[in-house]
Amino acid sequence: DSGVTQTPKHLITATGQRVTLRCSPRSGDLSVYWYQQSLDQGLQFLIQYYNGEERAKGNILERFSAQQFPDLHSELNLSSLELGDSALYFCASSPGGQTDTQYFGPGTRLTVL
Amino acid sequence: LAKTTQPVSMDSYEGQEVNITCSHNNIATNDYITWYQQFPSQGPRFIIQGYKTKVTNEVASLFIPADRKSSTLSLPRVSLSDTAVYYCLVAAGTYKYIFGTGTRLKVLA
């Protein structure tokens, strides 16, 4: 158990809908990262937050957004969903520095029908 | 921006040493390399991290040559429970995180 929690574990929705994925980091960690894992694209970095502020952006679509709240939990919002958005979404956390080890949560499996 | 590639799959027998290589170009001197293990439908699990020469912990070793164009994860004496997918992660440049393509390791009895 990494100490990172994610909810929900599974999510099934329809095209065009909007969903919110939630992540709680390990106690004391200030950085939260979001990754997408799909069969054709592998594990891809989406976005990083540090202590409430966006720190880095990766291959995140404009339809996707995230935020980190004062209690350090984070939410990833996915809107106008398409079939191709079906994937595993992982959250990771670390104390904050770029060289810190990232610890991953169990993931949310999103299925878009 | 670094690209990272790994062999698609490897087979090994129990008790053998396994070496998995991650090839990455254009990584800077201070870019860190981290290796993760992933089982089906689970999150990646940390194995080892380093940025130069050799690092060893209780489960693995990480070798990074001077040219830093690759890194090698070494798993001593693998067991059946080590059957998993192994990924390298390069922290490339300023807050850029690039996963390798993943290597599916199958350990045979």
Side-chain angles (χ1 to χ4, degrees):
Chain A
D1 185 358
S2 66
V4 179
T5 60
Q6 291 186 247
T7 56
K9 192 170 177 59
H10 301 279
L11 200 48
I12 301 174
T13 188
T15 54
Q17 295 298 306
R18 173 188 168 95
V19 297
T20 298
L21 313 183
R22 182 188 169 102
C23 168
S24 292
R26 296 185 320 159
S27 176
D29 283 356
L30 299 179
S31 267
V32 169
Y33 312 76
W34 287 97
Y35 290 85
Q36 179 193 58
Q37 185 173 35
S38 61
L39 283 174
D40 55 343
Q41 297 288 333
L43 274 157
Q44 295 223 344
F45 168 64
L46 296 178
I47 197 164
Q48 177 195 3
Y49 276 80
Y50 173 78
N51 203 21
E53 300 290 326
E54 181 184 304
R55 173 167 272 184
K57 259 187 177 179
N59 300 320
I60 189 166
L61 300 173
E62 286 194 10
R63 300 183 285 108
F64 296 179
S65 65
Q67 53 185 330
Q68 186 179 27
F69 294 86
D71 67 352
L72 301 177
H73 91 272
S74 178
E75 292 180 356
L76 179 67
N77 301 296
L78 315 176
S79 62
S80 303
L81 285 167
E82 302 174 0
L83 296 177
D85 298 326
S86 295
L88 268 168
Y89 291 84
F90 290 106
C91 165
S93 76
S94 77
Q98 185 180 0
T99 60
D100 291 341
T101 298
Q102 298 179 32
Y103 292 91
F104 284 76
T108 293
R109 181 175 293 279
L110 173 67
T111 303
V112 182
L113 301 175
Chain B
L1 203 62
K3 283 191 173 182
T4 56
T5 56
Q6 301 176 231
V8 174
S9 63
M10 298 178 71
D11 288 349
S12 179
Y13 287 96
E14 278 191 293
Q16 289 190 329
E17 177 184 76
V18 170
N19 296 310
I20 305 174
T21 298
C22 171
S23 297
H24 30 73
N25 58 350
N26 297 330
I27 69 167
T29 304
N30 295 325
D31 288 347
Y32 267 71
I33 296 147
T34 310
W35 282 85
Y36 290 88
Q37 176 192 55
Q38 187 180 30
F39 297 109
S41 298
Q42 294 187 23
R45 190 173 77 166
F46 171 77
I47 301 174
I48 196 167
Q49 180 179 348
Y51 76 102
K52 65 177 181 180
T53 59
K54 178 182 175 182
V55 177
T56 298
N57 63 20
E58 62 275 9
V59 298
S61 294
L62 172 60
F63 302 91
I64 303 170
D67 67 8
R68 298 172 59 73
K69 292 185 177 180
S70 66
S71 64
T72 298
L73 170 71
S74 181
L75 303 172
R77 300 178 299 281
V78 293
S79 63
L80 294 175
S81 62
D82 293 319
T83 294
V85 181
Y86 292 82
Y87 291 94
C88 59
L89 171 64
V90 178
T94 306
Y95 304 112
K96 297 187 192 306
Y97 307 100
I98 302 167
F99 267 100
T101 48
T103 298
R104 189 173 298 275
L105 172 66
K106 185 174 183 180
V107 180
L108 307 168

